[in-house]
Amino acid sequence: DVQLVESGGGLVKPGGSLRLSCAASGFTFSSETMTWLRQAPGKGLEWISSITSDSIYIYYADSVKGRFTISRDDAKNSLFLQMNGLTAEDTAVYFCAREVTLYGSGTYFNAYAHWGPGSLVTVSS
Amino acid sequence: DILMTQSPSYLSASVGDRVTIPCRASQFISNFLNWYQQKPGKAPRLLIYGASNLQRGVPSRFSGNGSGTDFTLTITSLQPEDFATYYCQQSYAAPLFTFGGGTKVEI
């Protein structure tokens, strides 16, 4: 079974840093595009960063560009998110997700088929 | 960026009802539209991909329809475990797969 488990969340002061980890199992991690998303309290879902296999392509949402860094360690089946310069607006549950390609209606589609349970990051003084 | 709009934000229903949840894209996305279900304190769960394809393990009372800019998720005969928030997501403009604001189905 596919499993994703985030860790590293917690309470941090404004301007501080935090590093999230996501441990993956049950699939060939090195072959997959992995993604971080977040959900602020009572709000909707926001894509924030993706990294393709072999770290060839890395993408960030404008809201985190220049402050957050996504990385992966394929030998340890792990995904990371280094978060610097945190503000109150970064308070959210952070999810890691596996992007899969699914076939239907005669073509292929991408979707987030597997998610971790999430890790809460609270930015407050 | 492609804006996804879900309205209403809340929808009242009863067990056994047929429920239709709309989603609109700000521009053409063909059928690159996914639907997720999220329960409080849990991660989202993929229900439908490619606008109308049922993800494995999802009950057949869920169905999706639409193409272009207008889409719907339909739940026939609502069950108690279906009370949740439903999000649409476009997968047309990689990698920024934007989500709608969600529709909460409540009693």
Side-chain angles (χ1 to χ4, degrees), chain A residues 4 12 14 17 25 36 51 57 61-62 66 71 74 82-83 91 94 98 113 122-123:
Chain A
L4 298 169
V12 60
S17 299
S25 61
W36 286 101
I51 183 168
Y57 296 104
D62 288 345
S71 62
D74 291 342
Q82 177 66 43
M83 304 185 292
T91 293
Y94 285 73
R98 175 192 180 199
T122 303
V123 185

Side-chain angles (χ1 to χ4, degrees), chain A:
Chain A
D1 279 5
V2 172
Q3 269 207 318
L4 298 169
V5 180
E6 303 90 346
S7 60
L11 175 64
V12 60
K13 288 182 167 50
S17 299
L18 215 53
R19 188 190 196 214
L20 300 182
S21 300
C22 172
S25 61
F27 64 100
T28 305
F29 179 79
S30 59
S31 301
E32 307 284 351
T33 292
M34 297 298 295
T35 294
W36 286 101
L37 306 100
R38 68 184 180 184
Q39 186 170 37
K43 302 295 185 184
L45 297 160
E46 180 189 13
W47 169 86
I48 55 174
S49 184
S50 291
I51 183 168
T52 61
S53 59
D54 285 335
S55 306
I56 294 175
Y57 296 104
I58 291 175
Y59 307 98
Y60 297 99
D62 288 345
S63 57
V64 305
K65 199 174 294 182
R67 300 187 300 124
F68 289 12
T69 302
I70 191 172
S71 62
R72 64 191 298 161
D73 184 339
D74 291 342
K76 295 183 178 179
N77 288 346
S78 294
L79 176 72
F80 305 101
L81 186 68
Q82 177 66 43
M83 304 185 292
N84 300 329
L86 288 162
T87 72
E89 287 67 43
D90 296 315
T91 293
V93 174
Y94 285 73
F95 297 100
C96 68
R98 175 192 180 199
E99 182 180 322
V100 298
T101 301
L102 300 164
Y103 182 79
S105 305
T107 189
Y108 292 91
F109 302 94
N110 291 340
Y112 301 128
H114 302 104
W115 299 64
S119 182
L120 176 62
V121 172
T122 303
V123 185
S124 175
S125 55

